[in-house]
Amino acid sequence: MTASKLSHIPAPGPDRRMRRPGAQMELARDTLALSGGLVIDPATKAIAPNISMSVNNVLEPGDGAFSADGIDDLTALPFLYARWTNPTVRQLEQRLAALEGADDALATATGIAAIGATFLTFLKKGDHLILSDVCYAGANELARRILPDYGIEVTAVNMSRPEDVAKAFRPNTRLVHCESPCNPILRLTDLAVISALARQHGALMSVDSTLATPVATQPLSLGVDLVIHSLTKFINGHGDALGGVVCGSKDLVETIRSRAGVYLGASMPAMNAWLIMRGIDTLFPRIRTISETASKVAAFLERHPAVAVVTYPGLSSHPQHDLAKRQMAVSGGILTFQVEDQDRTARQLAERLKVGHYAFSLGHQRSIVVLLDTQEMMKSTYQLTGEPLEDYRRFAGDGVFRLSIGLEAAEDLIDDLDQAISG
Ligand SMILES: Cc1ncc(COP(=O)(O)O)c(C=O)c1O
């Protein structure tokens, strides 16, 4: 099969499978990551995407649209202004939709912009959001601190307890938002169960699948309506571009695009779309290697005398290991560990690491570790008390070192961590 034939494969439709035109063969997802949504440039025949930096493109008379209001499908318009759509960003969107088995996708400037766009599109004054009580700090703070100012009610619930989620629904619940695994404690959500609850109550369900990546989990196939990623993390994977995406049905994505996409203005720059597409080319082998290394490092840390607890979905000691096996094709690149004296270990890691780095963020080609102290996380973000706090502590104790595994050789990473945390 030649690349030019693949270029005629459209972004996937509602049946969520990619087939070669006229053939019955279904493409493996590794292949989809390379060819799903790929567009061969008609002018140059370039296979690698060109970067279209132009803010505007020449119109044919009668092509113009002066407002996004009332237009059913903004992507059917010619490329008229880059804040609305841009050829490079559009190709990225189609490739991400292919990866997630979605009809369509909207790329945004950052992951938090994709989350904000989803919230501000589907929630209005008087609506109710059910939110995972532990999720990416920015999403949690946006929902609990900002949305109530706009008359939106928010209930934070432990999403690993479906009975608590069931009780949280109100007649005005419009959206359920969660992560699996959740950042930073790696608690899982049973996406099939929670999305079924949302459906029963007439609410949409969005999941931030950044930590799982499309390699591990396909949330749309489990009944979720919208899949969000911070592309800044594993999908770009090289720590050099911010980006976000929300994937889903044509109608839902078009609704987000025509509201938050156009009017909130968090459009993705073409250069970032190009970098992120390069990341997608190697996503599957990267995530498989990273997951294998993470499993080796997790097993090593579990045996290490300086380490009290290791949490990793791939370990049989993970409290939801059975769910992880069902819902995740690979166990992912993030693990956490706990130690007795976390402040001393944080200092040692910052001073001694030679291969990894002591730094925020995650999902890059180089390993990164950082301490997330439970008391500080409660003060700055989650503000849990009582049973929800106990639930958090069951995964995180007094604090976790969140270790994001990179592409270094497992033995080197293990030796580096060993010399940094010992003594
Ligand atoms: C799970 C998750 N979602 C969303 C975000 C926000 O992404 P961005 O920094 O690209 O806005 C982050 C950032 O750390 C994250 O970890």
Side-chain angles (χ1 to χ4, degrees), residues 40 46 72 110 114 209 229 247 261 272 276 281 369:
I40 304 297
D72 291 338
T110 60
S209 200
H229 290 279
C247 309
N272 288 27
I276 294 164
D281 285 346
V369 63

Side-chain angles (χ1 to χ4, degrees), residues 35 63 256 332 410 412:
S35 29
D63 267 351
I256 304 176
D412 292 336

Side-chain angles (χ1 to χ4, degrees), residues 110-112 115 136 179 183 208 210-211 230 232-233 242-243 362:
T110 60
I112 192 68
I115 297 166
Y136 164 57
E179 290 174 13
N183 186 7
D208 180 337
T210 298
L211 267 58
S230 166
T232 315
K233 309 300 183 321
L242 291 164
L362 55 95

